[in-house]
Amino acid sequence: MDEDRFWELIERSDRETRSRKERLVWLNTRLCQLSADEIIDYHMWWELNANRGCTCDMYALSCYLLRRESTDGFEYFVYWLMSLGREAYDQVADCPDRVMELPQVVHLLDLKRRWFAERRRGFPWSDEEYPAFELLAYVAHDAYEQVTGKAVDDLYAAAEARGVQRGFPLLAAEFSEADWDIADDAEVARRLPRLARYLTGPN
């Protein structure tokens, strides 16, 4: 399986289903029709693309959009971005500030702005809309176990044998000196100007 085929499956699973639950079932069904090597390929492309999002700029982006610092939340946010498809994910992975060009993100931010303006409690987003999609990362695990009868650790080992290491889970303390303080508003404005303009605009 090449990268084009990987993204085709991700995108078809969205087009051909109506909910996240249906989407997971759809992907599991398709992956279970593949060979063990093809499932390893899929997992490899998942990890390689997820690793592209494991950066300080992307972490800052998730913190400001979700309004909380959480390394788990960051990881699941990256998975949600991947769920939007290749074009959207490439756009944001290459330039996190371009997240403001995604209609899904603008919609969520507008919902949140209206929600808090009305002083409502709870979350402004439904479960289907929430910008995190943890379970999407596990479909290859389930399919591999079903097809091979082996544990998911064998899937990880197979990917590592191909030179693929996971970028997640990420700890904020792992950022190097070349990275930046995400609490620095001036640095946020410099690195994520479009997001900063939205956050400092009228509420």
Side-chain angles (χ1 to χ4, degrees), residues 82-155:
M82 291 176 66
S83 80
L84 301 181
R86 186 175 196 170
E87 183 178 352
Y89 186 68
D90 283 349
Q91 172 179 309
V92 181
D94 292 340
C95 179
D97 198 40
R98 292 189 67 191
V99 75
M100 297 305 297
E101 297 174 18
L102 299 183
Q104 298 92 334
V105 170
V106 173
H107 169 69
L108 293 176
L109 289 174
D110 286 345
L111 283 177
K112 185 165 70 171
R113 177 168 282 179
R114 291 198 301 270
W115 187 273
F116 288 112
E118 296 170 3
R119 301 184 180 278
R120 301 172 68 180
R121 295 182 178 180
F123 291 98
W125 310 309
S126 69
D127 290 343
E128 290 291 325
E129 293 173 314
Y130 194 82
F133 201 167
E134 176 186 6
L135 296 181
L136 191 62
Y138 304 148
V139 288
H141 303 178
D142 296 337
Y144 185 79
E145 290 179 334
Q146 291 173 57
V147 168
T148 67
K150 298 178 180 178
V152 71
D153 286 345
D154 288 353
L155 176 62

Side-chain angles (χ1 to χ4, degrees), residues 36-45 47 144 148 150-165:
D37 280 343
E38 289 174 306
I39 297 172
I40 295 168
D41 288 341
Y42 175 96
H43 174 71
M44 177 188 71
W45 288 118
E47 296 290 4
Y144 185 79
T148 67
K150 298 178 180 178
V152 71
D153 286 345
D154 288 353
L155 176 62
Y156 288 135
E160 289 177 1
R162 299 184 184 188
V164 178
Q165 298 284 338

